[in-house]
Amino acid sequence: MNAQTPTAFGPALIGQTEKALDAILVRELDGTGLSPSGWVILKLAEGAGGRLARQELADLGTVQAKFDTEKSTDAIESTLSLGLLEADGGDVALTPAARELQARVVGTTDEIRDRLWGDLPEADLVAAGRVLATALRRANVELGYSI
């Protein structure tokens, strides 16, 4: 295969990078029963302290991951059925199995991340982060999100 890799900053480079990173995540989740959207839901729950209202988690999926309402709800239901989230009234919480899975996947993906950009100059990484964060903020404004 002779695919061209875009070198100019823009949608093609961002999109191809996102797709490649997603493919790595899919590979690491293989055999777990967890989809990438379920993984995102677990990471959002973790970032919110591990326990939160089910609707709050669904809203985080919609706003932060840009899932539509159905995808966000389906991802929550899937993680519940896999025993990675547990329901307690209107709240959901990460289970020990979820925390073990996260530790394993993050450990592996951290190693991969180090191979992908661990040797790049810190100043380049800071600049790239600043550019992407600015683009993300502006895209969120464009979409009507106030994050």
Side-chain angles (χ1 to χ4, degrees), residues 14-147:
I14 294 169
Q16 285 185 26
T17 303
E18 188 275 333
K19 295 298 182 192
L21 294 173
D22 191 53
I24 291 169
L25 177 62
V26 167
R27 183 183 70 193
E28 297 308 313
L29 294 176
D30 188 43
T32 67
L34 189 63
S35 67
S37 56
W39 174 257
V40 169
I41 288 295
L42 290 181
K43 294 302 286 180
L44 291 171
E46 177 187 43
R51 174 178 293 280
L52 66 164
R54 185 186 298 221
Q55 186 59 53
E56 184 180 351
L57 182 55
D59 292 345
L60 284 172
T62 301
V63 173
Q64 290 191 13
K66 310 304 184 266
F67 295 160
D68 63 31
T69 302
E70 183 177 351
K71 184 173 185 174
S72 193
T73 301
D74 288 349
I76 292 169
E77 294 306 315
S78 173
T79 56
L80 284 163
S81 71
L82 290 168
L84 300 171
L85 284 178
E86 59 188 1
D88 179 18
D91 289 351
V92 292
L94 292 172
T95 65
R99 293 189 187 279
E100 289 173 20
L101 176 64
Q102 287 179 315
R104 182 181 60 76
V105 172
V106 167
T108 303
T109 55
D110 280 354
E111 291 172 11
I112 295 167
R113 180 201 62 217
D114 288 345
R115 290 193 299 272
L116 298 178
W117 61 78
D119 62 340
L120 296 177
E122 183 66 24
D124 288 355
L125 297 174
V126 169
R130 192 172 43 249
V131 169
L132 289 172
T134 298
L136 177 58
R137 278 192 303 277
R138 290 174 181 173
N140 281 327
V141 168
E142 194 68 31
L143 291 167
Y145 295 116
S146 57
I147 297 177

